[in-house]
Amino acid sequence: MSRDHLQSAERSAPEAGARVGRARASDLGARTSDLGPAAETPFLELLARGASADAYEQPVLLARAEGQTAERIAALEQAKLLALRVRSELEGRRRREAELSALFETAHDLAGLRDLDAVLQAIVQRARSLLGTDIAYLSLNDPVRGDTYMRVTEGSVAARFQQLRLGMGEGLGGLVAQTARPYVTEDYFKDGRFQHTLAIDAGVRDEGLVAILGVPLMLGHHVIGVLFAADRRARVFEREQIALLGSFAALAAAAIDTANLLTETRSALADLERANEIIRDRSGVIERASDVHDRLAELVLRGGGVHDVAAAVSEVLGGAVEFTEASAAPPDALEASRAEGHAVRHQSDWIAAVTAGGELLGALVLRGHPGLDPVDQRTLERAAMVTSLLLLARRSAAEAEQRVRGELLDDLLDARDRDPRLLRERAARLHADLDATQVVLAARLEGVAADADQEADARRRLWAAASHLAATRHGLAAARDGGTVLLLPLTAGDTATDVARRTARHLGTAVHEPVTVGASGPLRDLADRPGPVATAYAEARRCLDALSLLGRSGDGAAAEDFGFLGLLLAGDRDITGFVDRTIGPVVAYDERRGTGLLRTLDAYFACGMSPARTKDALHVHVNTVAQRLERVGRLLGDDWQSPSRALEIQLALRLHRLSAREQR
């Protein structure tokens, strides 16, 4: 509805009402002229002062009380009916005038839209006032979540109702939003035409609503929300009231559309402003890019390292850039950067993967610099590319050293007769210490290659990663038996198992495939006694095969991790170590306290783990047996009677008895 039409309707409504009033009064006078001039007079007075409908009964009641003639009373009844019709017509005209005025005012607000919330609030206020309802409210559809939510309320007193969200098709509002048609219910809780939910019904019950009218807010053929009017008592909404609420809904939809257009316009203006800023900064960006190019080219020509690249990029980008190993970088961000070929943001940092031929060499990390424009991002990516070239150049030089490391380890594995002094000198040139305690590790890829070329490439990558690990850990590495063998020093506080598991994780991360690692027991004085290296390698291979058979691919372990199976896997058959690991706490307890826990365990297993038969065999009370077994449980753990643990304990008990006999 245009503004001119609204103004014309506003001007013509009072004049039309006056003409109808005069016509109705003339009709009344014509119909009652034969009964005297006084028949319509009281009703005209009532019309003049705008009396309530109940007051029109008074003239008739008064005439009857005075005993006037039946003709006179009939004339008054006829005049009353005509007057009520005139009154109803006048009220309808006034109501439509008020409605047109409210629509005009709302359209005026929309024309000067500044605050969408204020306009929507005015719409629901006027709808509530004109329809005479207890509450009016408006909901909008959420295309992201696929539901509709409360946007504006007027007359609401329940917090839960004001925060309701309705799924499409749920509740009366959800049905309106889904079907794009008005719906009205005289009694919400007795109406089965729509889907009731606990959350919606609870909110409506909190608000105390009974009768609800909802009309859709339409933009073209799309529903964007619903406008409601509701009462806390049963009520029938007339067709004119439904149409009026629909008019308000159309204005509300127009207000929302206008606000969205204004928002888009402001956004477009902001984008243009940012574009101008980018254009103004472009010259400076080009200069920075040129500076970076010159610096990186100079670094490559003079043989700089990766840390020199990081320092140069830090100065250009105005942030701290550092090179990190792949294992030290955030794995998700690093993998995303490697896959996309671009730097990616991780929290307040930027990660650029350093790769070569699909192999992950590390990462350049820009610290504490969340805001990075595309040109600076490209600079970081270019620096990562230069870093990969430098690393490849360094690798070419290191491969010769790796071959030397492999040759030394091959000599140790083949147990060739070597002068200990020469072995130490060769190891020292490689920064390896053969006098330190060492562990032999056998590593193998567990993935199935599609063809021979891919398998060869996977083995090459495993050997390269193992060689790099050996160089950084002051160890040795060589390719052997379709896998890789490493000799790594055992640091204080570490076990062979710790080294195996750490190596499996490191190599698996480096080659992006599961790597299984078996470890030998500790070796000492290899320069003087290189022979045990071959035996230790065989032990590591047996542990590696055991891991694969047990379904533990991608893990690392030593013989000590397999319980009594470790006795079969270990090269030196460490029986004493197995006994100590299995029942050592019980042996120590008996030695300190002079108790008979070991004897009780022997009898317990010999009697089929029956406490009753055990007490007979030991000639003690059954409570004594229970107390001793409880003590054993505290020393060995609650699972000591599980099948696998019980088997290991029985084997350890027998080995302990044999060892005790040999000592005697």
Side-chain angles (χ1 to χ4, degrees):
M1 182 179 295
S2 69
R3 182 174 179 178
D4 291 339
H5 288 167
L6 288 172
Q7 290 174 335
S8 176
E10 185 184 34
R11 288 193 299 268
S12 62
E15 297 174 1
R19 288 196 299 272
V20 170
R22 290 194 295 269
R24 293 301 186 188
S26 175
D27 184 38
L28 176 61
R31 290 172 182 264
T32 59
S33 59
D34 57 338
L35 300 176
E40 71 277 6
T41 300
F43 299 107
L44 292 175
E45 292 176 354
L46 291 173
L47 286 171
R49 70 170 188 264
S52 65
D54 295 339
Y56 286 77
E57 294 291 341
Q58 294 300 322
V60 179
L61 295 176
L62 182 60
R64 287 176 178 165
E66 292 176 350
Q68 295 185 18
T69 65
E71 291 78 2
R72 179 65 175 177
I73 292 174
L76 289 171
E77 286 282 359
Q78 183 67 22
K80 178 192 73 172
L81 294 176
L82 292 174
L84 286 173
R85 287 173 58 188
V86 172
R87 178 184 180 278
S88 176
E89 187 70 25
L90 290 174
E91 284 186 349
R93 295 289 181 175
R94 284 195 294 269
R95 184 172 63 253
R96 284 189 286 277
E97 178 184 351
E99 292 170 358
L100 289 173
S101 177
L103 289 173
F104 173 77
E105 291 174 359
T106 303
H108 183 270
D109 291 342
L110 177 58
L113 177 65
R114 292 294 181 269
D115 184 356
L116 177 62
D117 287 338
V119 173
L120 296 181
Q121 190 69 49
I123 288 174
V124 297
Q125 285 174 350
R126 289 164 184 159
R128 178 193 179 199
S129 175
L130 287 175
L131 270 67
T133 56
D134 297 323
I135 178 174
Y137 50 100
L138 182 148
S139 67
L140 293 181
N141 290 359
D142 187 339
V144 176
R145 296 180 56 172
D147 61 4
T148 184
Y149 64 95
M150 289 295 182
R151 181 68 166 80
V152 181
T153 64
E154 175 66 22
S156 173
V157 295
R160 177 158 52 177
F161 179 80
Q162 297 168 12
Q163 298 170 3
L164 272 181
R165 298 190 75 96
L166 295 76
M168 292 302 178
E170 295 179 356
L172 184 141
L175 187 60
V176 173
Q178 184 181 50
T179 62
R181 294 173 54 192
Y183 273 87
V184 60
T185 178
E186 299 176 18
D187 193 330
Y188 175 86
F189 292 101
K190 294 182 180 179
D191 199 330
R193 291 176 300 164
F194 45 83
Q195 179 183 351
H196 289 264
T197 67
L198 292 177
I200 298 173
D201 285 359
V204 174
R205 189 174 289 107
D206 286 355
E207 195 63 57
L209 299 182
V210 177
I212 304 176
L213 165 62
V215 295
L217 277 67
M218 305 288 295
L219 280 182
H221 298 290
H222 300 286
V223 179
I224 64 171
V226 181
L227 179 62
F228 300 88
D231 260 342
R232 296 186 174 92
R233 63 187 183 280
R235 170 177 176 172
V236 177
F237 287 96
E238 299 176 358
R239 186 171 300 175
E240 292 79 4
Q241 293 173 323
I242 297 175
L244 175 61
L245 195 63
S247 298
F248 277 111
L251 290 175
I256 294 170
D257 189 36
T258 302
N260 290 337
L261 291 175
L262 288 175
T263 300
E264 292 175 3
T265 302
R266 295 189 186 102
S267 177
L269 290 175
D271 290 341
L272 289 175
E273 185 176 351
R274 285 194 295 271
N276 288 331
E277 292 177 356
I278 292 174
I279 292 174
R280 288 195 297 268
D281 294 341
R282 184 57 57 183
S283 59
V285 168
I286 294 175
E287 290 179 4
R288 288 206 316 274
S290 176
D291 183 30
V292 170
H293 177 77
D294 293 343
R295 292 192 183 197
L296 295 180
E298 182 184 357
L299 282 174
V300 173
L301 292 176
R302 65 181 175 84
V306 294
H307 297 292
D308 296 324
V309 173
V313 178
S314 297
E315 185 176 347
V316 172
L317 298 183
V321 178
E322 61 183 33
F323 173 78
T324 65
E325 298 290 340
S327 58
D332 293 340
L334 185 61
E335 179 60 28
S337 176
R338 185 187 70 83
E340 298 173 6
H342 297 289
V344 299
R345 181 176 171 180
H346 176 71
Q347 297 177 357
S348 60
D349 302 335
W350 283 83
I351 311 295
V354 178
T355 61
E359 181 183 353
L360 191 58
L361 305 177
L364 282 184
V365 182
L366 175 59
R367 303 286 187 189
H369 206 306
L372 196 65
D373 63 42
V375 175
D376 287 342
Q377 181 179 345
R378 180 60 183 158
T379 297
L380 184 62
E381 294 164 359
R382 185 178 300 173
M385 186 183 302
V386 172
T387 301
S388 67
L389 293 175
L390 292 177
L391 289 175
L392 286 176
R394 189 175 68 179
R395 173 179 289 182
S396 298
E399 284 180 352
E401 178 184 341
Q402 292 169 359
R403 285 192 294 272
V404 175
R405 288 179 183 274
E407 291 171 358
L408 176 55
L409 183 53
D410 283 335
D411 289 345
L412 294 172
L413 289 169
D414 295 338
R416 296 171 182 165
D417 293 332
R418 298 289 181 182
D419 184 346
R421 182 180 59 81
L422 293 178
L423 288 175
R424 286 190 177 91
E425 288 179 358
R426 291 172 62 187
R429 286 195 294 270
L430 299 173
H431 305 287
D433 184 5
L434 295 182
D435 293 323
T437 302
Q438 306 280 343
V439 174
V440 177
L441 303 164
R444 182 172 63 205
L445 285 167
E446 296 296 342
V448 179
D451 52 43
D453 291 339
Q454 289 188 5
E455 182 177 358
D457 180 66
R459 290 180 178 178
R460 181 193 62 78
R461 289 188 285 111
L462 176 61
W463 176 79
S467 299
H468 178 69
L469 176 63
T472 57
R473 301 287 175 83
H474 305 293
L476 303 174
R480 179 165 289 214
D481 299 325
T484 302
V485 56
L486 298 95
L487 184 70
L488 297 180
L490 188 65
T491 59
D494 267 352
T495 65
T497 299
D498 296 333
V499 176
R501 290 176 177 170
R502 193 161 53 239
T503 302
R505 288 195 301 269
H506 181 94
L507 296 180
T509 301
V511 302
H512 303 290
E513 291 185 35
V515 177
T516 308
V517 177
S520 72
L523 300 175
R524 298 175 180 82
D525 303 326
L526 294 184
D528 297 325
R529 297 186 304 107
V533 176
T535 303
Y537 175 58
E539 177 183 339
R541 287 286 306 277
R542 288 194 293 272
C543 291
L544 179 61
D545 293 337
L547 284 171
S548 298
L549 289 173
L550 294 173
R552 294 173 57 184
S553 298
D555 198 1
E560 62 187 20
D561 298 313
F562 295 95
F564 71 90
L565 291 177
L567 295 177
L568 304 176
L569 301 174
D572 57 357
R573 302 293 191 272
D574 184 13
I575 294 175
T576 302
F578 171 73
V579 172
D580 287 342
R581 289 191 300 272
T582 307
I583 61 172
V586 178
V587 174
Y589 189 87
D590 275 355
E591 291 175 352
R592 290 196 311 270
R593 303 292 182 89
T595 53
L597 297 183
L598 287 175
R599 189 164 61 90
T600 302
L601 275 176
D602 274 330
Y604 181 63
F605 287 120
C607 294
M609 301 177 73
S610 169
R613 292 198 295 270
T614 303
K615 63 97 174 172
D616 294 335
L618 296 176
H619 305 291
V620 296
H621 195 275
V622 69
N623 290 341
T624 302
V625 175
Q627 292 171 1
R628 291 178 182 179
L629 294 179
E630 182 181 358
R631 173 63 63 181
V632 169
R634 288 199 293 269
L635 293 171
L636 299 183
D638 294 337
D639 64 336
W640 72 276
Q641 297 190 72
S642 64
S644 59
R645 288 289 309 277
L647 180 60
E648 291 183 0
I649 292 171
Q650 292 178 71
L651 178 58
L653 287 170
R654 293 193 179 189
L655 293 175
H656 179 69
R657 285 199 303 272
L658 291 173
S659 175
R661 290 174 184 173
E662 292 175 359
Q663 291 177 3
R664 290 199 297 269

